[in-house]
Amino acid sequence: MPQPDVHLYTAATMNGYKPVIFLEEAGISYDLTFIDFSKKEQKAPDYVKLNPNGRIPTIVDRSNGDFAVFESGAILWYLAEKYGVFLPHEPKARSETHQWLMFQMASVGPMMGQAMYFQRIAAPNGHEEPFSIKRYVDETRRLLEVLNTRLEGREWLAGDEYTIADIATYPWARAYPWAKVSIDGMDHLKAWFDRIDARPAVQKALTIPKAQPAFWGDADESAFLKENAARFAADVKKA
């Protein structure tokens, strides 16, 4: 059997799920290497040649001279253009898609990531920072309200169709329980979650490479919280 065009390096994080969702939704054959953070595989020299930032995810397109693409938003953009799916052709809708993709990359991801870090990693390792927690939880709530307003009277974030903007934003926004952020009153956002939750390819993707149901509020988080905090203990102590 020939190798798939796309080889994906990823892990079970919000950014790591994005390309998996795309590939599963598009029905594209791919193979996968799971990056083990506990072994610092994302910092291994061979991997850093593909991704100079030493993070996940990364893809290698074998059909394009083993071309490597890193940064989750750039990967979605590359795949959408390569396969002609989840990116509108109409110029305004296409621009809207890129705008909301950048909104996720520049705002939703970083702010939610900090809310998660200070509550789920720093605090369990003895670094309680109430000011930082409040700042990032409040800003995450504000950003989710922006999404809620955007989704009033519409099904998807950009244009009239499901796009890479939805794919990029969903695994982050849907992890609001892990960020300990309330979405009370955000009925449009909740309806958007329900629509994407109902997509079989998305639910399959969220089990690849390893399901972390605690992110989505679907499991007892206590065991995973201890494991997750321990993984990053050394980095917190250095900070």
Side-chain angles (χ1 to χ4, degrees):
M1 293 288 292
Q3 289 182 311
D5 289 347
V6 176
H7 187 87
L8 170 63
Y9 297 84
T10 196
T13 71
M14 290 72 186
N15 286 333
Y17 286 119
K18 293 178 195 175
V20 186
I21 292 173
F22 181 101
L23 292 163
E24 290 293 334
E25 286 274 30
I28 295 165
S29 178
Y30 65 100
D31 48 21
L32 182 149
T33 295
F34 173 67
I35 297 297
D36 188 339
F37 295 149
S38 69
K39 297 177 181 178
K40 302 288 185 183
E41 290 178 349
Q42 76 277 20
K43 303 299 182 184
D46 286 348
Y47 183 75
V48 172
K49 289 178 183 178
L50 302 175
N51 185 329
N53 196 30
R55 301 296 179 101
I56 59 94
T58 302
I59 63 167
V60 173
D61 185 354
R62 297 183 178 111
S63 69
N64 191 17
D66 288 338
F67 183 64
V69 185
F70 70 97
E71 288 296 324
S72 59
I75 290 170
L76 292 180
W77 195 334
Y78 179 87
L79 291 172
E81 291 193 327
K82 176 181 176 67
Y83 293 105
V85 291
F86 307 132
L87 184 60
H89 295 291
E90 194 278 320
K92 289 182 180 178
R94 192 178 185 90
S95 176
E96 282 186 350
T97 302
H98 289 148
Q99 289 172 55
W100 286 99
L101 174 64
M102 293 303 105
F103 177 74
Q104 187 282 307
M105 297 295 295
S107 299
V108 176
M111 294 301 103
M112 289 193 78
Q114 293 297 331
M116 294 170 184
Y117 175 84
F118 281 103
Q119 296 180 92
R120 302 299 193 170
I121 297 171
N125 281 296
H127 295 264
E128 185 79 33
E129 300 284 351
F131 182 87
S132 299
I133 290 171
K134 184 177 188 307
R135 187 265 188 276
Y136 290 115
V137 167
D138 288 352
E139 179 62 2
T140 295
R141 167 79 191 194
R142 186 190 73 80
L143 293 168
L144 294 179
E145 288 172 347
V146 172
L147 291 173
N148 185 65
T149 299
R150 172 63 177 175
L151 289 162
E152 184 175 0
R154 60 187 309 127
E155 291 194 353
W156 310 112
L157 288 174
D160 297 320
E161 59 189 283
Y162 178 73
T163 69
I164 55 173
D166 301 289
I167 292 172
T169 306
Y170 171 80
W172 278 102
R174 186 65 178 80
Y176 68 88
W178 192 245
K180 297 186 179 181
V181 176
S182 169
I183 60 167
D184 288 350
M186 299 190 200
D187 293 341
H188 311 303
L189 183 64
K190 291 176 183 177
W192 180 74
F193 288 155
D194 289 344
R195 285 191 289 275
I196 301 181
D197 286 347
R199 299 177 74 93
V202 172
Q203 293 313 307
K204 179 182 176 183
L206 295 183
T207 69
I208 303 170
K210 177 185 178 182
Q212 297 294 4
F215 287 160
W216 331 118
D218 295 334
D220 178 5
E221 67 185 34
S222 56
F224 178 64
L225 177 62
K226 183 177 180 181
E227 172 193 334
N228 190 62
R231 257 195 316 152
F232 294 92
D235 293 333
V236 173
K237 289 175 183 175
K238 292 176 185 176

